[in-house]
């Protein structure tokens, strides 16, 4: 171009940058167009062969309103250059890492309340730490620790930062400073997709969990196909508990409601969720350990409520679920076999539950421990978003004045669950459950069988294992993200936490 303009000084050049579509409907790249003179343009051209390697060859200046061309360009040059260098992300401080660790162990809302930091701030710190993760060489064997954390999450047992930080001390040495221990622990949780928030569940699952998940999914798919079980008779059930500190509840403290506890704590509420692979979300069943409230006129019929002062045993709770949910909505649809996916906790392995299902021609498929994050269709997108939804509604309720007694809270929880049920059964959202089941039940066995058989017989090594995880994991992560985002948008309008005091703001927050 420079040679051309040197030989023909009467020609001029206009540099244009725009995103208009060309005739083929594709975005044009920033380009340099040569044409007849159309006005003053600043700058000068130097023949390429006169430049040194250190000199800039071309530069483009974006024009807010490029002048129109008087005639079609004689040629167009697309700029090709080196790939942009990755952005350098500054490391988090020890106090910031402490907040991030708390959010990963106990949830974003609890961390925001504990440290008086806003949700966007914590999320920005999480993103910064995630962007630094690929640069860290990981030479520690943490698969067993990751399995333990997954098991804790599945049982809603409170995860102790102290246990994880002690592991970090063992891995890094007794003299490791707090900053290094916090960073190691946060990276461990992110690496193994162990955060509680739905959008934090990306990373590398332990090899044993991946292998167990793959084997279970293949076996389940074979069973469904061989028995010819239709979609409306393949179901999933998932349970979670709600813990309540009655003293804090009487004081309208937002921390009164928790979604995890210690092994000796008894929850005040239990929720049983269930769905079918045709996209039907069955009525949630809410159990309350307290007096039965009087149901007001207009109480929703898409949620079920059971209350008893002494609470419910596992056996009683599961029997009521079979009688009130599974039998009338699945077993009563006519003869035929059914399959129910469930985890191995809360009495699901007891003979009474199995025999109750068998009496209704339902076979139980029990998900291996630690595998619910991949194999439990409800756990893939519904349960994490639902628990976020309940926390958000509870926080807003307390900020608006709270409730007077447990009866009111029971009815309020039932109404929130009714709202979730209506959303999931709407025409615009039934596909979410179908996709969740598809990720578990409809694997293409013929395409994957030989490869996975070989994988059981030989150790394929770290590099091939990473490729396997990328092939399946990246696709699953994208699918899960889409489902979670759609359901979150439909359910949750999360208010930001109040701004922290100036002292904490100076200590905890950097410019992001």
């Amino acid at each position: 171009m420079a040679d051309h303009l040197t030989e023909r000084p009467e020609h001029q050049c206009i540099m244009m940058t725009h995103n208009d579509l060309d005739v083929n409907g594709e975005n044009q790249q920033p380009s340099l167009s040569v044409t007849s003179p159309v006005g003053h343009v600043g700058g000068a051209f130097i023949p390429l062969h006169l430049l040194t390697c250190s000199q800039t060859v071309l530069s483009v200046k974006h024009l807010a309103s490029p002048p129109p061309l008087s005639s079609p360009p004689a040629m167009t040059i697309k700029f090709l250059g080196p790939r942009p260098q990755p952005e350098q992300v500054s490391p988090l401080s020890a106090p910031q890492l402490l907040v991030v660790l708390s959010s990963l162990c106990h949830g974003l809302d609890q961390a925001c309340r504990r440290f008086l930091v806003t949700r966007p701030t914590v999320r920005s710190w999480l993103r910064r730490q995630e962007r630094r993760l690929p640069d860290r060489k990981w030479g520690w064997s943490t698969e067993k620790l990751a399995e333990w954390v997954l098991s804790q999450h599945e049982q809603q047992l409170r995860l102790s930062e102290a246990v994880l930080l002690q592991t970090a001390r063992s891995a890094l040495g007794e003299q490791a400073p707090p900053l290094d221990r916090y960073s190691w622990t946060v990276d461990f949780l992110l690496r193994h997709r162990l955060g509680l928030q739905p959008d934090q569940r990306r990373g590398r699952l332990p090899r044993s969990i991946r292998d167990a998940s793959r084997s279970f999914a293949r076996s389940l798919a074979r069973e469904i196909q061989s028995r010819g079980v239709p979609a409306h008779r393949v179901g999933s059930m998932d349970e979670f508990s709600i813990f309540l500190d009655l003293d804090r509840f009487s004081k309208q403290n937002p921390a009164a409601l928790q979604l995890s506890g210690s092994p000796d704590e008894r929850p005040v509420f239990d929720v049983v969720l269930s769905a079918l692979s045709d996209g039907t979300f069955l009525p949630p069943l809410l159990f309350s350990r307290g007096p039965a409230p009087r149901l007001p006129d207009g109480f929703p019929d898409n949620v079920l409520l059971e209350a008893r002062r002494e609470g419910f045993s596992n056996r009683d709770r599961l029997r009521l679920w079979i009688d009130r949910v599974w039998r009338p909505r699945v077993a009563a649809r006519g003869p035929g076999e059914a399959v129910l996916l469930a985890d191995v906790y809360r009495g699901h392995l007891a003979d009474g539950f199995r025999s109750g299902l068998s009496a209704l021609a339902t076979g139980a498929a029990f998900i291996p421990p630690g595998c619910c994050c991949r194999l439990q269709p409800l756990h893939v997108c519904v349960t994490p978003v639902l628990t976020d939804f309940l926390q958000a509604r509870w926080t807003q309720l307390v900020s608006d004045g709270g409730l007077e007694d447990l009866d009111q809270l029971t009815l309020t929880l039932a109404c929130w669950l009714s709202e979730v049920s209506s959303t999931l059964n709407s025409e615009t959202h039934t596909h979410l459950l179908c996709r969740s089941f598809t990720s578990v039940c409809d694997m293409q066995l013929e395409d994957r069988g030989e490869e996975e058989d070989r994988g059981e017989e030989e150790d394929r090594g770290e590099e091939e294992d990473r490729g396997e995880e990328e092939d399946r994991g990246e696709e699953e992560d994208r699918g899960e993200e889409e489902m979670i985002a759609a359901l979150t948008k439909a359910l949750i309008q999360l208010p930001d936490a109040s701004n922290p005091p100036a002292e904490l703001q100076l200590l905890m927050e950097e410019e992001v």
Side-chain angles (χ1 to χ4, degrees):
M1 178 60 62
D3 285 339
H4 175 86
L5 294 177
T6 301
E7 295 171 1
R8 294 176 174 80
E10 71 277 9
H11 286 187
Q12 291 187 8
C13 175
I14 292 178
M15 292 181 290
M16 299 181 62
T17 59
H18 54 81
N19 291 319
D20 294 338
L21 296 177
D22 62 14
V23 294
N24 296 318
E26 299 178 349
N27 284 323
Q28 294 184 350
Q29 299 294 323
S31 61
L32 178 149
S33 301
V34 181
T35 183
S36 56
V38 290
H40 173 73
V41 177
F45 282 90
I46 303 173
L48 295 177
H49 59 274
L50 297 181
L51 290 173
T52 65
C53 294
S54 62
Q55 290 175 297
T56 301
V57 177
L58 292 174
S59 63
V60 177
K61 180 180 180 181
H62 289 263
L63 302 178
S65 179
L69 295 177
S70 60
S71 62
M75 67 176 70
T76 298
I77 296 177
K78 292 186 177 180
F79 293 103
L80 301 177
R83 298 174 66 88
Q85 295 298 314
E87 178 185 359
Q88 296 296 318
V89 182
S90 59
L92 298 180
S93 64
Q96 291 170 331
L97 285 168
L98 179 60
V99 177
V100 170
L101 176 58
S102 178
S103 74
L104 292 170
C105 290
H106 308 298
L108 190 58
D109 284 313
Q110 185 166 329
C112 290
R113 287 197 301 266
R114 177 183 174 187
F115 295 101
L116 300 178
V117 182
T118 63
R119 291 175 63 97
T121 297
V122 181
R123 287 186 180 277
S124 71
W125 293 345
L126 270 165
R127 288 193 296 270
R128 281 169 56 183
Q129 192 69 12
E130 286 174 339
R131 289 200 296 269
R132 293 176 57 85
L133 198 61
D135 298 330
R136 178 164 198 164
K137 294 182 179 179
W138 197 262
W140 300 275
S141 177
T142 53
E143 302 247 316
K144 291 297 182 182
L145 181 62
E147 292 174 22
W148 175 77
V149 173
L150 286 169
S151 177
Q152 294 288 106
H153 284 338
E154 288 181 350
Q155 299 175 76
Q156 289 184 267
L157 296 176
R158 191 173 293 117
L159 193 60
S160 170
E161 293 109 320
V163 173
L164 298 177
L165 290 171
Q166 181 57 45
T167 304
R169 184 190 295 271
S170 300
L172 299 174
E174 292 295 325
Q175 304 305 317
L179 175 63
D180 292 347
R181 298 201 304 271
Y182 292 146
S183 180
W184 188 95
T185 306
V186 170
D187 285 351
F188 156 73
L189 293 171
L190 293 175
R191 173 181 170 82
H192 290 291
R193 64 192 300 173
L194 299 174
L196 289 178
Q197 297 298 117
D199 56 359
Q200 294 166 3
R201 299 187 304 156
R202 297 190 63 186
R204 187 176 180 79
L205 285 172
R207 175 66 180 268
S208 60
I209 299 297
R210 300 198 307 272
D211 289 346
S213 299
R214 206 164 43 237
S215 177
F216 177 89
R218 293 180 64 196
S219 176
L220 177 64
R222 284 198 186 100
E223 180 180 2
I224 291 173
Q225 292 169 5
S226 64
R227 292 167 57 182
V229 181
H232 68 274
R233 301 183 75 85
V234 177
S236 170
M237 60 134 15
D238 194 20
E239 299 187 59
F240 68 91
S241 299
I242 300 174
F243 301 87
L244 194 67
D245 186 316
L246 295 179
D247 182 55
R248 288 179 172 177
F249 175 73
S250 65
K251 299 175 182 177
Q252 304 301 311
N253 188 325
L257 189 145
Q258 298 288 333
L259 294 172
S260 63
S262 61
D264 57 347
E265 284 186 80
R266 290 188 65 192
V268 176
F269 301 99
D270 287 290
V271 180
V272 184
L273 306 176
S274 41
L276 304 176
S277 64
D278 65 357
T280 303
F281 187 68
L282 302 179
L285 182 52
L286 173 63
F287 292 92
S288 172
R289 182 164 57 87
R294 185 183 68 83
L295 300 184
D297 294 338
F299 186 79
D301 58 3
N302 62 351
V303 61
L304 305 174
L305 174 61
E306 292 281 347
R308 188 185 294 171
R309 286 186 179 276
E310 64 275 19
F312 298 85
S313 65
N314 286 335
R315 180 177 180 178
D316 289 342
R317 191 178 65 253
L318 295 173
R319 177 182 55 80
L320 284 167
W321 177 80
I322 289 176
D323 291 341
R324 297 200 63 185
V325 178
W326 190 253
R327 185 193 304 273
R329 290 166 179 83
V330 179
R333 292 189 178 187
E337 294 184 277
V339 173
L340 178 69
L341 281 76
D343 59 41
V344 296
Y345 312 109
R346 304 175 187 267
H348 297 164
L349 296 178
D351 291 338
F353 183 55
R354 293 189 184 204
S355 60
L357 292 175
S358 298
L360 301 176
T362 299
F366 294 109
I367 299 169
C371 297
C372 285
C373 60
R374 173 160 286 183
L375 295 177
Q376 169 57 275
L378 285 165
H379 201 83
V380 169
C381 70
V382 175
T383 306
V385 178
L386 173 56
T387 52
D388 253 13
F389 167 75
L390 295 179
Q391 283 278 18
R393 286 299 179 88
W394 165 252
T395 301
Q396 185 63 46
L397 179 65
V398 172
S399 68
D400 291 341
L403 298 170
E404 294 181 359
D405 54 42
L406 192 59
D407 284 2
Q408 290 183 340
L409 179 58
T410 302
L411 295 176
T412 300
L413 284 172
C415 290
W416 290 343
L417 292 172
S418 171
E419 185 177 345
V420 173
S421 184
S422 298
T423 300
L424 284 169
N425 280 318
S426 64
E427 293 183 1
T428 56
H429 293 99
T430 54
H431 70 284
L432 296 177
L433 287 173
C434 293
R435 291 176 61 186
S436 294
F437 275 91
T438 298
S439 67
V440 176
C441 303
D442 292 337
M443 295 179 66
Q444 299 298 318
L445 299 178
E446 295 78 10
D447 296 338
R448 298 177 181 266
E450 293 184 2
E451 177 186 351
E452 296 189 358
D453 286 339
R454 288 195 300 271
E456 295 171 359
E457 297 172 1
E458 61 185 32
D459 183 6
R460 290 171 290 182
E462 180 70 16
E463 191 64 32
E464 187 173 346
D465 188 37
R466 186 182 301 113
E468 173 193 338
E469 179 72 4
E470 289 174 356
D471 290 342
R472 177 179 169 93
E474 289 183 4
E475 181 178 351
E476 286 184 346
D477 285 339
R478 285 193 297 270
E480 289 179 17
E481 284 180 349
E482 292 173 2
M483 290 186 284
I484 288 170
L487 187 54
T488 301
K489 182 178 180 180
L491 284 176
I492 304 176
Q493 298 295 326
L494 291 174
D496 291 341
S498 58
N499 289 327
E503 297 83 1
L504 283 177
Q505 185 80 16
L506 292 174
L507 173 66
M508 307 296 297
E509 215 169 26
E510 293 180 354
E511 183 178 352
V512 179

